[in-house]
Structure formats: structure tokens, C-alpha cells
């Protein structure tokens, strides 16, 4: 998540302190700066703003007319927002309420797309959303020119909670959080990998089209990533957090070519695992804060970091967020990760044969006094395909966790649109 509430304040303080105290790698001073081309209107997480908080984007390409492609983005309790390539809002979809007045309200956390899902006798593109508030997935059919659209809810009314046994567990909010979709090229079946908030569990859900044109899902299997880690000095380390919370995963992406899942465990690093959740996960990079002990203070709801034993990585500053792929037809390309703690984006080689080696890093900085950059970035999405005259080299959309508002001192978030060609130049 972008801005920690009390329940996660401990980790933010730890990350902030370490971002200052841990020496940055030598190449940090030469990290390229990229300027955005457009930004969405600010979203405000207050009553006047409809409790909207920008989080995670996905880019839908209109193959018939690429210049009329769309960006679908979550706004947490504010639901979904749909934007055109000029970053203008074309649709707003509210999150559904909870079943009772005292129950948790709907809260849309992450979004990803499935192309060509067989639905009601034809193929359709859909947006799949994790509803953290209700512990369910929501599915929306994409029809660019449909009246009242372009998104239409096709979630089957019978969908069940992803992780919770009953409403009491849902209200505890150890619920559906991060999300990545993928389609198995061998079987044609489509899936969503969903992470559990404040836990290390990942669930594989198969998306199932029903005869009446809706989409249901069923759980195939789950896997739990580690919550504690054996360090080279023989000690065991667990990231500091509020008691009862485990190091969660949010940012995830699946490489469609080989079904590889990359999962960002926020306070730990980036895991590589088969998207079917089989096999043994591999930690391909660690955050700088990896192995640093912390002491939680219940009164301040903060963690005080101890001495750094020096076992952390050199590229990422916690939290790891916003994983996305820049794919190329020959199998080359990049895995991008938002290094939230130092406002950078880190690029790794997409190819597993090269062990996802580090390729470069960049920042997104202000283009003008009215178009600022991206800070404490959460979600990100890249599409390496022409999108009309405005983005002939593709598009990167990133969340801005500290949007500069146009009306006073209200805290705001939003999304920045970046020319992907500039990103590739910066990495190269």
C-alpha cells in the first residue's frame, strides 16, 4: 500500500529510517530522471473525495484503434476509475458496500486484465479486481463503446470469499490484496494469483465463465512464502511489524511466455515462482533492510531499527511494490519494480536464463510546476505496444502516492502517464 495507516505504521517508520541511514549504491547518483507526459486528476481519501485513494493501474489496448485504449485503475474504497490516454476520466465505478452497516465496505486494491476470455459464447477482455473489503474478486467486461461503459460488472453473484470463512473473518481484513492474472498457453485456462493481506499466503484461482455470461472462480491451491529468514550469522530474522502481522505480498506480475510469477514481499524482496504455485520459490533480490532487527512500540505503533548486519540487497528500498513487465517479441525485456522507499524504479532482465540480473534504475520527476513526478509509488503497469500518436512507443502508468493537489493542503494521490520509449532509453 502507498501510505501506511496505524496498522502498518511500524514498517513505514523502519523503512523511512533506513532509507536515510543505509548507504545507497554507487550508481544512485547517476540514476536517470524521466518526466511524465500526463497525470490524472487528484484523488482524495476523505469524505469529500469519496474516500478515493489511487493504488494500482492496468493498461487495456484497443487493438482496433490503439489511440482509444484505456487505463483501468483502483481507488480503494473509491472503487474503480477508467481513463483515456489523455489521463481524462471516462468512467467511475463505486466499490460495493459490505453486507451490513457494521461490516467492512468494499475496497478495490489491485487490478489486472485477461484477454480473450470465453464469455457468453464469444471472446471478451475483462478486468479482474481484488476487493479487499469483501474478500472477493470482481470481474468487469471491457467494451470500449458500450453505452454506460466501457466497463460492465460480470461478477457471478455466487462468488465466495477468497480467504475468509465467514463475515467476521472478512471484517478482520486478512483478505484478498495483491493480484496478477495469467492464461495457461497449453490449456487456455485463465487464472488469478491473489495474495492475502498481512499474511504470506498466495492463492491460485481459476476464472470460470458461467452459462449466463458471468464469471465465477474456484481455488486451485495455495502456498505460503516464508515469514522468517535464517541469516548468514545463524540468527533468525522476521521483519518488524505490529504483533500478529506477517510480511505480506502486494505487487505481482506473471510472465505470459513461461508462466513465471514475480511476487514482491514488501519488506523482504522479490520472489520468482511458477505461476501455478508449484515448485520452490527463489528470492531473486532483497530489500536493503533485509535482516535489520526492529523493536515494535505499542504506544507509538512504530518500529525502532537496530544495527544493520549487512545482509540486505543493493537496489531496493522497502517497500517493494508495483511489479510489471516490459515484454519484447523475442523473449527479451524487463521486470520493473517500484522501490517505494527511495522513489526509484528498478529494472531486471526478464529472462530467467540470465537469472533476472539487474539492468538499471530511474526516477520519474516533475515535468513542470503543475505536472509533478511520482513518489512512494505503489502500483505500476507497462505496455510495450504502440498506442496511437500520443504513445507510439508504448506506455508506463505509475501511481503517485504524494500527488500535488490543486486545492489546498488535502493529501492526494493519482497516476502518472510516461512514454515507455523514454523508460527504455533510461534503462539502456
Amino acid at each position: 500500500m502507498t501510505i501506511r495507516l496505524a496498522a502498518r505504521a511500524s514498517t513505514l517508520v523502519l523503512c523511512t529510517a533506513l532509507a536515510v541511514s543505509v548507504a545507497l549504491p554507487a550508481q544512485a547518483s547517476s540514476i536517470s530522471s524521466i518526466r511524465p507526459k500526463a497525470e490524472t486528476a487528484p484523488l482524495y481519501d476523505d469524505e469529500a473525495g469519496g474516500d478515493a485513494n489511487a493504488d494500482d493501474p492496468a493498461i487495456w489496448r484497443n487493438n482496433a484503434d490503439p489511440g482509444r485504449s484505456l487505463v483501468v485503475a483502483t481507488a480503494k474504497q473509491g472503487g474503480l476509475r477508467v481513463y483515456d490516454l489523455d489521463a481524462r476520466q471516462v468512467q467511475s465505478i463505486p466499490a460495493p458496500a459490505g453486507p451490513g452497516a457494521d461490516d467492512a465496505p468494499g475496497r478495490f486494491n489491485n487490478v489486472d486484465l485477461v484477454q480473450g476470455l470465453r464469455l457468453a459464447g464469444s471472446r471478451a477482455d475483462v478486468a479482474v479486481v481484488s476487493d479487499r473489503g469483501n474478500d472477493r474478486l470482481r470481474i468487469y467486461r471491457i467494451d470500449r463503446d458500450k453505452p454506460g461503459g466501457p466497463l460492465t460488472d460480470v461478477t457471478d453473484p455466487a462468488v465466495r470469499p477468497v480467504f475468509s470463512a465467514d463475515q467476521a473473518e472478512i471484517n478482520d481484513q486478512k483478505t484478498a490484496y495483491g493480484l496478477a492474472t495469467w492464461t495457461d498457453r497449453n490449456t487456455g485456462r485463465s487464472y488469478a494469483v491473489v495474495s492475502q493481506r498481512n499474511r504470506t499466503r498466495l492463492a491460485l484461482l481459476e476464472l470460470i465463465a458461467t452459462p449466463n455470461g458471468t464469471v465465477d472462480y474456484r481455488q486451485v491451491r495455495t502456498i505460503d512464502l516464508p515469514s522468517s529468514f535464517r541469516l548468514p550469522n545463524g540468527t533468525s530474522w522476521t521483519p518488524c511489524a505490529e504483533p500478529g502481522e506477517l510480511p505480506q505480498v502486494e505487487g505481482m506480475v506473471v510472465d505470459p511466455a513461461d508462466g513465471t510469477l514475480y511476487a514482491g514481499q514488501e519488506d523482504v524482496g522479490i520472489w520468482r515462482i511458477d505461476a501455478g504455485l508449484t515448485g520452490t520459490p527463489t528470492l531473486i533480490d532483497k530489500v536493503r533492510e533485509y535482516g535489520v532487527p526492529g523493536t515494535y512500540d505499542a504506544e507509538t505503533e512504530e518500529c525502532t531499527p537496530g544495527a544493520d548486519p549487512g545482509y540486505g540487497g543493493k537496489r531496493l528500498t522497502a517497500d517493494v511494490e508495483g511489479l510489471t513487465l516490459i515484454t519484447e517479441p523475442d523473449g527479451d525485456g524487463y521486470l520493473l519494480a517500484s522501490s517505494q522507499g527511495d522513489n526509484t524504479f528498478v529494472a531486471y532482465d526478464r529472462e530467467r536464463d540470465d537469472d533476472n540480473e539487474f539492468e538499471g534504475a530511474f526516477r520519474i520527476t516533475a515535468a513542470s510546476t503543475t505536472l509533478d513526478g511520482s513518489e512512494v509509488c505503489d502500483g505500476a503497469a507497462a505496455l510495450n505496444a504502440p498506442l496511437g500518436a500520443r504513445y507510439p512507443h508504448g506506455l508506463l502508468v505509475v501511481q503517485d502516492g504524494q500527488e500535488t493537489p490543486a486545492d489546498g493542503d488535502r493529501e492526494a494521490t493519482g497516476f502518472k502517464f510516461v512514454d515507455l520509449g523514454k523508460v527504455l532509453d533510461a534503462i539502456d
Side-chain angles (χ1 to χ4, degrees), residues 42 48 57 61 73 80 110 130 141 178 218 223 225 237 253 284-285 287 311 322 341 358 369 411:
R61 188 172 191 266
L80 277 182
N110 282 50
S130 58
R141 182 169 183 156
R218 69 176 186 92
I223 189 173
L225 294 175
W237 171 73
V253 67
I284 66 170
D285 202 2
V287 297
Y311 302 132
F358 170 76
T369 56
E411 293 185 357

Side-chain angles (χ1 to χ4, degrees), residues 75-312:
K76 296 186 180 177
Q77 197 169 326
L80 277 182
R81 298 292 190 274
V82 183
Y83 303 99
D84 64 17
L85 295 182
D86 291 316
R88 297 174 302 200
Q89 182 176 300
V90 298
Q91 188 178 16
S92 176
I93 298 174
D102 296 328
D103 294 323
R107 189 176 178 89
F108 287 175
N109 210 72
N110 282 50
V111 59
D112 206 349
L113 307 180
V114 175
Q115 295 179 321
L117 184 70
R118 186 172 292 280
L119 192 61
S122 63
R123 297 286 183 178
D125 296 343
V126 299
V128 183
V129 181
S130 58
D131 181 353
R132 165 184 147 190
N134 288 297
D135 194 26
R136 286 167 168 83
L137 300 188
R138 307 287 176 184
I139 300 94
Y140 295 86
R141 182 169 183 156
I142 305 172
D143 294 297
R144 181 63 174 86
D145 297 314
K146 182 177 180 178
L151 267 57
T152 303
D153 191 347
V154 291
T155 311
D156 192 81
V159 296
R160 298 183 58 80
V162 177
F163 295 105
S164 307
D166 53 33
Q167 188 61 42
E169 285 194 6
I170 292 175
N171 290 339
D172 285 340
Q173 293 293 279
K174 296 179 179 66
T175 48
Y177 201 60
L179 176 144
T181 60
W182 66 290
T183 298
D184 189 316
R185 292 188 172 183
N186 294 321
T187 66
R189 295 180 176 179
S190 295
Y191 300 88
V193 180
V194 185
S195 66
Q196 184 176 14
R197 181 174 179 262
N198 293 337
R199 290 292 180 265
T200 67
R201 177 159 293 185
L202 306 178
L204 178 67
L205 307 177
E206 182 182 359
L207 303 177
I208 302 171
T210 70
N212 59 0
T214 61
V215 180
D216 199 352
Y217 50 83
R218 69 176 186 92
Q219 187 178 106
V220 178
R221 65 181 60 90
T222 63
I223 189 173
D224 294 323
L225 294 175
S227 59
S228 63
F229 303 85
R230 194 74 172 172
L231 299 178
N233 62 5
T235 64
S236 180
W237 171 73
T238 298
C240 183
E242 183 175 329
E245 293 185 0
L246 300 180
Q248 67 189 7
V249 168
E250 183 175 13
M252 296 189 290
V253 67
V254 176
D255 191 328
D258 59 7
T260 298
L261 169 70
Y262 296 96
Q265 195 170 15
E266 294 179 344
D267 305 315
V268 177
I270 300 174
W271 294 93
R272 183 180 66 209
I273 184 174
D274 179 82
L277 303 188
T278 59
T280 302
T282 299
L283 190 61
I284 66 170
D285 202 2
K286 305 180 185 73
V287 297
R288 293 186 175 95
E289 299 85 352
Y290 182 93
V292 177
T295 303
Y296 181 78
D297 187 325
E299 292 188 5
T300 63
E301 297 182 329
E302 297 176 355
C303 281
T304 301
D308 184 356
Y311 302 132

